[in-house]
Amino acid sequence: MLIPRRKSGPGPIRATATTRLRRVTQGTAALLLPLLSGCSLELMNPKGAIGEHEKSLILLALALMLMVVVPVIVLTLYFAWHYRETNEKATYAPKWSHSTAIEIVVWSIPCLIVTVLAVLIWRSTHDLDPYKPIAHDKPALNVEVVALNWKWLFIYPDQGVASVNQLVLPVDQPVAFKITAESIMNSFFIPQLGSQIYAMAGMQTQLHLISDTPGDYAGMSASYSGAGFSDMHFRALVKPQAEFEQWLASAKASPYKLDAQTFTALEQPSTGAPVRAYQLAMDDPFDAVLSKYGPMDAHGVQQIDHASVQFRQQKPNPSSPMPGMRGHDMSAMSGPATPATQEN
């Protein structure tokens, strides 16, 4: 059955509406483009094996999803145009309700894509496990990361140095990160090197990364952490081995020492903390932060002593030894847990 042609509106009116729509679209694009000038696709410009693997995974998953999205958009536009009211050549079938061929296509392709994605995600989840060490002929550099309010502290326990808001790494050497937070949860993320992972109080997470290109890469917190969140960023400087050794030597000669008093000062919430290197002059502060909330269970998760946390919140004592030092006796403290600590 053919659809009877209906008289359309005057040509000049349609042309005017089309012209206005085009002008509005062009004007909107011209206004929005300057807002995008500061954006960069760092995830699409990786500088290490982990980042390269993740980029490939993103592009492959995108391509698989576009296999559904693109045909749907194209066919929607085609059907809308082909079966328009004024097309007298289109077939009119008001009683049509089923097509086995269409049902097979509609269901088989998504099922196939979901199956491929499931296999891909299963394999990638294991290959990109952040806890999985990177196979390499060089030993991994150990770096401990503490998310403070609102600054990042990087500790090199084997080298006896530390730095604030600046991470210096050697090129082409695996780096084994141990990550925790002093209080508020954050997310440690260097987009061009790869995976992000959460930094949580009372817990220790791990991450393994490597960079194959020297450079200055942006690091950040990918999780909102309060008023000073905009300062939760840092520079990740990847240097050749000789320059990295020079930086270590300069950090060891730094006039600033990271002792208990300095660490207590760093724990205080502040914004705009300057980049600074320290000599490590105390037992590992990373362990001190972990011990702050209680002992660790067999699975590597801190058992939060809610009573001691509440006690510290109620009775601050700045003159006492640094809270959370390993061996701090909290067994005598008692009291109900607060809702905030229960979430931790």
Side-chain angles (χ1 to χ4, degrees), residues 153 155 162 256-260 262-263 266 278-282 285:
L153 174 64
I155 305 163
Y256 302 103
K257 294 184 178 180
L258 183 60
D259 51 21
T262 303
F263 187 74
L266 287 174
Y278 296 88
Q279 299 180 48
L280 199 58
M282 60 179 293

Side-chain angles (χ1 to χ4, degrees), residues 156-171:
Y156 301 73
D158 300 330
Q159 288 74 25
V161 299
S163 63
V164 169
N165 284 344
Q166 186 181 73
L167 175 64
V168 183
L169 303 174
V171 68

Side-chain angles (χ1 to χ4, degrees), residues 307-318:
S308 63
V309 172
Q310 187 194 41
F311 181 85
R312 287 196 300 272
Q313 292 174 343
Q314 293 176 346
K315 298 182 178 181
N317 184 8

Side-chain angles (χ1 to χ4, degrees), residues 65 67 95-96 233 308 313:
M65 289 184 283
M67 290 176 64
K95 295 184 179 180
W96 180 87
H233 52 76
S308 63
Q313 292 174 343

